[in-house]
Amino acid sequence: MSAFFITGTDTEIGKTFVTCTLLHAARARGLSALGMKPIAAGAEMVNGEFLNEDAARIRAACSFDPGLALLNPYCLASPIAPHIAAAEEGVTLETGSILDAFETLKGKADLVLVEGVGGFRVPLSDDYDTADLARDLGLPVIIVVGMRLGCINHALLTAEAVAARGLTIAGWVANQVDPAMLRFDQNLEALKARMPAPLLGVVHFQPDGNAAAAAASLELPLPA
């Protein structure tokens, strides 16, 4: 079994899209693959389920549905910072519950991808954030770089923060979130020269959000 923690250089940079793309890439290699969104903020009732859009997209990309209790242990209603949403809704985000759900998922698939929330240092409580969660999971990290103005600085700071916690960076993905980004190729080359991990692939702007179609552009950091 292999597992990775998926983080991003910011919010709204296509972290869920890349997670789904990696799940499809794994399935194309004949692996059973599951995704996990431990904490999601922003949800509504859909067919009798309290559902977050990102969690729903990950669920659809999995080899099979493991159930929302495992895939998305904490689903908060408001689309705001999770520590604020949790406090307003009277929810305590328990790390133990997340780790237990992850351990269960590990026994069900060849690959498990755990997607964080927002960037790498998003608060989950007064003294705990997503970087702490990544450390407690102890997984190698894949960084999704949202290719837009400012991405070089954001990517390098994220890589430093991951390394500072003793975590391995398995690789990074360049996700073109801004189709009109100036000097895309030059920015990509600057990142390739500076990021302390291999580039796993470039996902060009996908107006239709077809993660399965984009899967061929990514390499999984798994043994051959």
Side-chain angles (χ1 to χ4, degrees):
M1 198 284 307
S2 296
F4 298 90
F5 186 84
I6 313 294
T7 193
T9 49
D10 201 350
T11 191
E12 299 298 327
I13 50 82
K15 194 166 65 272
T16 298
F17 181 75
V18 171
T19 298
C20 293
T21 300
L22 287 167
L23 289 170
H24 283 292
R27 293 172 60 185
R29 286 182 53 173
L31 302 174
S32 59
L34 293 175
M36 182 183 185
K37 181 80 174 178
I39 301 163
E44 58 185 21
M45 291 300 295
V46 179
N47 297 324
E49 291 182 312
F50 193 52
L51 191 62
N52 168 265
E53 181 180 358
D54 288 348
R57 291 166 62 193
I58 291 173
R59 185 192 212 178
C62 290
S63 294
F64 58 89
D65 183 2
L68 288 176
L70 294 177
L71 188 150
N72 182 206
Y74 290 102
C75 186
L76 303 166
S78 299
I80 57 178
H83 73 293
I84 298 175
E88 290 181 354
E89 295 172 32
V91 175
T92 300
L93 303 175
E94 298 283 355
T95 308
S97 297
I98 295 171
L99 298 180
D100 288 346
F102 171 68
E103 288 298 321
T104 300
L105 288 177
K106 279 172 56 178
K108 294 179 176 291
D110 300 317
L111 174 72
V112 178
L113 300 180
V114 182
E115 183 191 325
V117 55
F120 190 62
R121 293 291 320 270
V122 173
L124 301 178
S125 68
D126 290 342
D127 57 0
Y128 195 84
D129 63 18
T130 50
D132 296 317
L133 176 60
R135 180 203 60 211
D136 289 344
L137 286 164
L139 301 176
V141 177
I142 295 174
I143 299 173
V144 180
V145 179
M147 297 298 290
R148 61 190 183 196
L149 185 62
C151 64
I152 298 174
N153 177 61
H154 291 164
L156 296 179
L157 288 175
T158 300
E160 286 184 5
V162 172
R165 282 153 184 82
L167 296 171
T168 300
I169 303 175
W172 60 285
V173 175
N175 187 38
Q176 187 180 17
V177 293
D178 179 5
M181 181 184 184
L182 298 176
R183 309 298 185 272
F184 177 90
D185 291 338
Q186 292 93 325
N187 277 269
L188 181 64
E189 289 303 314
L191 281 164
K192 287 166 66 176
R194 292 166 174 81
M195 285 291 280
L199 173 64
L200 302 179
V202 178
V203 178
H204 291 286
F205 183 70
Q206 301 280 330
D208 58 357
N210 190 335
S217 64
L218 298 184
E219 296 181 10
L220 283 166
L222 300 174

